[in-house]
Amino acid sequence: MLSTSCYLRTWERFVSEGVLDSNRLNKRIMESWYRCKKDQVNPYLNKGKHILTDELLDIQREKNSFLLEVASPQLSRMNQSIKDSGMMALLVDPDGYVLSLSGNEKILDEAGKINFVEGVCWTEGEVGTNAIGTALKTGEAVMIQGTEHYSIASHKWSCSAMPILNEDGKILGVLDISCPVEYYHPSMLGMVANLAYTIEQEMGMRSYKKELALTQQSIELAETYPDLPFIVCNHKQMIISASKQVRKKIPQSIGMALADLLNHGYRIVKENPLLSKEDNRISGKCLFLSENHVREANRLFPASMPSERFAFEGERGISESFHNTLRKVKLVAPTEANVYISGETGVGKELIAKAIHDNGMRKKGPFVTINCGAIPKDLMESELFGYVDGAFTGAKRQGHKGKFEQANGGTIFLDEIGEIPSAMQVALLRVLQERKIVPIGGTKSISLDIRIITATHRNLEKLVNEGSFRKDLYYRLNVYPIHVPPLRERIEDIPYLVNYLCSNNNWNIPLTEELLIRLKDYHWPGNIRELQNVLQRLTILLAEGPLDYGKVLNSMHSQPVTPHDDFPSWEEPGDKKGIKGNELTIREKIQRDLMIEALQKSRGNVTAAAKLMDIPRSTFYKRLHKYGI
């Protein structure tokens, strides 16, 4: 919404009298105005007042070198587009200092007039409500327009900002796109969100590569010190590798916090820093251990990660990949941001949506879920928006409340959002903008106070590029994306999931170590839903007498699975029985030999072998099957 005389009068009355009509402003902006009033920020400030000297700015850039290193190429890639749009892009550190600024030269000159320059501090405490400062304060994506800004310095500007987070949800910086209000474009927030998300993914990938280097060093250490127990920790004090003795005693040691492992009867006797091979920076450490013989930790089901005060109806397990997903849920749940959940069929996207609701501000309200792919197109409008008495032939006499109205005061979860037809996409966009609906046959609009969460197992960005899903709707829904990993990427969680599913369904299956090992060896194309079906099948078969688990579970490998074209299948075409050695191409022979070599170096540990080759574990498993290794 652009700056208007109405907003200007609202601002003037607030700064002079402290009176504010809550219907005039977005809740987050209103809360920010009150913070600024309380902190005595000068609303008549006409420019930034705190600018670092060149020397101090260099120090600040050095402190945030990793952020700059990753973000700069992404900003350069977008620079021409930002210039042509009459905009500028800013990278800001967690303290609110502008580290870099690029874009349209004319716009940069205008920004300089209010000291919107590199080195300036642009927090709420310095210049009042603004996209950068408010994003830092709330941890949310935010758009601030014209006189929504608290200080007059920014009244002629339109700004959109998005925090850049690490895998633990910590703010590493803020990305901002700004322009004069006359150049405002509704896609600004979507541009910022997608660019920030790309930077987050790249930072995560670089951290992952550093851990690969540490894992390689740990394999070399294992060859050098075959009889000594040791672990390798990353910079977050999480264990990413362990010697054979430690893994044998504590099977779940990989991914465990160092402090938790020391509770299992070990103490540190020597500590060596380890370097990242790419840039010679310390990125982890090797800890040599000795046993205290306090207690043994060889239970079949060791305790999973601490529960904390966080509502989640499913089983968390211990995998880092799924706990990264839960960290994002914890971060976004208390906010108002729209969340888009992606992931393959059967991974538990509805559980994630429910967790966002249960830990949010509307947790006492209803949680309404609807599968958009299961509703006939001609019934979708009445199902979502409802209808009044007599709206059409066959309508219920008292009318019908649609899903949006049923969810009022709570959360609506639109699963398989990629399946809704184009006409309904327009209607949904209107609901997102106006927060109102009009039932079929009705004349009065119904105001909505709801949170909207969407999900799909399809590639929504691909649908946008193909033209079958509206780009503006995609940007509205994709404010905060959360990916739920497939089961094959969280194999270590299988014992916990099996125990949880059996307990919840009263399935009496003997959970032997042999069964769990066989379950871990399977690739689970149907994810947790398939695991549940398999356990139910075992329960039925066990009623007839003792089972040969190997025979039953081996039969799963031969069952065909038809994957969706947006996600890779487990088996590649023609690879069901593995390619014979004399049928391999030269490239495939080299690939197969490298895999065998990696398995030998890692002593058969598939996870470590995959890391050695710098490929996902799921890809490594595919190739194992393909080459018949």
Side-chain angles (χ1 to χ4, degrees):
M1 188 180 295
L2 296 179
S3 174
T4 63
S5 58
C6 175
Y7 268 133
L8 183 58
R9 288 195 297 271
T10 302
W11 175 83
E12 288 172 341
R13 191 177 182 201
F14 182 76
V15 298
S16 61
E17 303 173 24
V19 177
L20 180 61
D21 182 350
S22 61
N23 293 321
R24 296 288 185 185
L25 284 178
N26 173 283
K27 183 183 177 185
R28 286 288 176 261
I29 296 173
M30 183 176 67
E31 290 171 346
S32 176
W33 278 20
Y34 279 117
R35 283 196 298 270
C36 295
K37 191 85 171 176
K38 181 182 177 183
D39 294 339
Q40 299 182 333
V41 178
N42 180 9
Y44 300 103
L45 189 74
N46 60 5
K47 59 177 63 177
K49 56 184 180 180
H50 184 186
I51 304 175
L52 295 175
T53 63
D54 289 345
E55 184 179 358
L56 289 175
L57 178 57
D58 287 341
I59 292 172
Q60 205 70 10
R61 283 173 173 159
E62 181 59 30
K63 278 171 56 180
N64 297 277
S65 59
F66 184 45
L67 174 65
L68 277 163
E69 179 185 329
V70 176
S72 294
Q74 301 298 334
L75 289 169
S76 297
R77 179 175 58 84
M78 295 290 293
N79 193 40
Q80 192 59 50
S81 174
I82 290 169
K83 279 184 177 180
D84 293 343
S85 303
M87 300 174 182
M88 60 182 184
L90 300 92
L91 185 67
V92 184
D93 73 12
D95 299 319
Y97 290 103
V98 177
L99 300 177
S100 73
L101 195 156
S102 58
N104 186 287
E105 290 180 6
K106 181 181 175 182
I107 303 305
L108 293 176
D109 288 340
E110 287 297 311
K113 295 175 183 177
I114 61 169
N115 286 344
F116 204 24
V117 295
E118 290 183 347
V120 71
C121 184
W122 214 258
T123 60
E124 274 192 359
E126 287 287 325
V127 294
T129 304
N130 71 90
I132 294 169
T134 305
L136 281 171
K137 194 77 174 178
T138 63
E140 301 174 28
V142 63
M143 176 181 285
I144 310 284
Q145 305 272 35
T147 48
E148 290 176 345
H149 290 91
Y150 188 76
S151 295
I152 61 173
S154 303
H155 276 191
K156 294 181 180 179
W157 290 84
S158 172
C159 308
S160 298
M162 175 83 170
I164 298 170
L165 311 174
N166 68 5
E167 60 267 33
D168 298 323
K170 180 184 176 183
I171 295 178
L172 300 177
V174 167
L175 189 66
D176 175 272
I177 292 181
S178 295
C179 66
V181 289
E182 59 265 32
Y183 293 126
Y184 157 79
H185 192 278
S187 67
M188 281 173 62
L189 187 59
M191 288 172 61
V192 168
N194 281 328
L195 196 52
Y197 184 63
T198 300
I199 293 169
E200 285 179 355
Q201 295 293 97
E202 178 64 18
M203 294 178 88
M205 181 57 70
R206 294 198 184 195
S207 296
Y208 173 67
K209 286 183 176 179
K210 285 183 179 180
E211 291 199 357
L212 286 179
L214 291 179
T215 303
Q216 173 61 49
Q217 290 182 61
S218 72
I219 292 171
E220 295 168 1
L221 285 166
E223 293 174 349
T224 307
Y225 307 103
D227 300 319
L228 291 179
F230 69 85
I231 54 172
V232 173
C233 294
N234 62 16
H235 65 287
K236 295 181 293 185
Q237 302 289 297
M238 298 294 291
I239 298 168
I240 63 168
S241 186
S243 64
K244 186 176 180 180
Q245 297 97 313
V246 176
R247 293 199 312 273
K248 185 176 180 180
K249 181 180 177 183
I250 310 173
Q252 77 281 14
S253 56
I254 308 300
M256 182 182 283
L258 172 61
D260 291 341
L261 180 124
L262 296 178
N263 288 330
H264 284 73
Y266 281 112
R267 63 184 178 87
I268 301 168
V269 294
K270 187 179 180 183
E271 181 176 321
N272 283 351
L274 295 176
L275 301 177
S276 168
K277 292 186 177 179
E278 295 90 7
D279 54 12
N280 291 324
R281 281 184 285 194
I282 293 175
S283 53
K285 56 189 176 182
C286 174
L287 304 172
F288 290 90
L289 310 171
S290 69
E291 293 189 54
N292 283 336
H293 301 290
V294 175
R295 60 187 173 95
E296 290 297 317
N298 57 0
R299 292 180 296 140
L300 191 57
F301 294 105
S304 58
M305 291 188 179
S307 62
E308 307 170 17
R309 297 184 64 182
F310 174 72
F312 180 65
E313 292 182 0
E315 170 56 51
R316 304 184 197 194
I318 60 170
S319 68
E320 186 65 18
S321 62
F322 190 65
H323 277 263
N324 278 339
T325 298
L326 292 183
R327 288 185 193 107
K328 290 192 172 186
V329 170
K330 292 175 190 177
L331 185 70
V332 79
T335 74
E336 296 282 337
N338 292 334
V339 179
Y340 164 61
I341 305 170
S342 62
E344 297 178 17
T345 298
V347 293
K349 295 187 289 293
E350 186 174 338
L351 276 177
I352 296 298
K354 186 66 164 60
I356 294 170
H357 170 77
D358 289 343
N359 294 280
M361 294 179 288
R362 294 183 175 86
K363 61 185 176 183
K364 293 184 179 178
F367 176 76
V368 176
T369 180
I370 183 168
N371 187 329
C372 299
I375 306 172
K377 292 181 181 180
D378 53 348
L379 296 180
M380 188 167 287
E381 187 176 5
S382 63
E383 190 69 23
L384 290 178
F385 303 140
Y387 55 82
V388 299
D389 182 14
F392 50 82
T393 304
K396 294 179 182 178
R397 181 170 295 177
Q398 70 275 23
H400 170 69
K401 277 187 177 183
K403 296 293 186 181
F404 276 101
E405 191 176 354
Q406 293 174 31
N408 216 353
T411 302
I412 186 167
F413 173 51
L414 302 173
D415 199 5
E416 300 305 344
I417 190 68
E419 307 297 331
I420 66 172
S422 56
M424 284 305 300
Q425 291 179 31
V426 176
L428 180 56
L429 185 62
R430 193 179 305 120
V431 171
L432 286 164
Q433 290 170 337
E434 300 175 2
R435 297 288 163 164
K436 292 179 181 178
I437 58 165
V438 178
I440 298 173
T443 56
K444 293 183 179 179
S445 63
I446 300 170
S447 295
L448 297 175
D449 173 25
I450 59 172
R451 182 174 201 162
I452 298 175
I453 302 175
T454 54
T456 181
H457 73 289
R458 303 185 69 182
N459 187 328
L460 209 53
E461 192 170 356
K462 181 181 176 184
L463 297 180
V464 170
N465 293 333
E466 291 172 351
S468 58
F469 198 88
R470 291 180 64 98
K471 185 181 289 187
D472 48 2
L473 178 57
Y474 171 70
Y475 286 138
R476 284 276 189 171
L477 298 175
N478 194 33
V479 172
Y480 192 87
I482 293 179
H483 179 68
V484 186
L487 185 53
R488 62 181 171 274
E489 291 179 9
R490 44 181 299 212
I491 293 296
E492 57 268 48
D493 290 343
I494 282 180
Y496 303 95
L497 290 167
V498 169
N499 194 39
Y500 173 80
L501 291 170
C502 288
S503 298
N504 274 20
N505 294 283
N506 293 316
W507 293 335
N508 188 20
I509 300 175
L511 301 180
T512 64
E513 192 161 352
E514 178 201 0
L515 172 61
L516 294 175
I517 289 171
R518 290 187 179 276
L519 290 174
K520 285 182 177 183
D521 285 342
Y522 183 52
H523 52 265
W524 301 108
N527 294 295
I528 297 173
R529 188 176 297 146
E530 184 184 10
L531 174 62
Q532 182 166 335
N533 293 341
V534 167
L535 293 174
Q536 188 171 22
R537 187 189 316 164
L538 290 175
T539 304
I540 295 168
L541 293 173
L542 278 166
E544 299 177 355
L547 277 183
D548 181 343
Y549 288 132
K551 185 178 289 186
V552 174
L553 297 174
N554 283 338
S555 69
M556 295 192 300
H557 292 262
S558 61
Q559 293 174 2
V561 176
T562 305
H564 195 281
D565 60 0
D566 286 332
F567 287 94
S569 64
W570 177 261
E571 295 175 342
E572 297 175 3
D575 292 338
K576 290 186 178 179
K577 295 181 181 178
I579 301 175
K580 295 178 181 178
N582 56 6
E583 296 173 355
L584 295 175
T585 65
I586 293 175
R587 180 177 177 276
E588 288 170 335
K589 286 179 179 177
I590 293 171
Q591 200 173 69
R592 184 177 185 273
D593 291 345
L594 287 172
M595 289 177 66
I596 292 172
E597 184 180 344
L599 285 167
Q600 289 171 341
K601 285 185 177 180
S602 65
R603 293 179 171 82
N605 186 316
V606 172
T607 300
K611 286 183 178 180
L612 279 174
M613 292 188 66
D614 197 12
I615 60 174
R617 183 172 58 183
S618 57
T619 302
F620 196 94
Y621 271 116
K622 283 185 189 177
R623 292 176 184 172
L624 280 177
H625 183 70
K626 177 178 178 178
Y627 300 138
I629 299 175

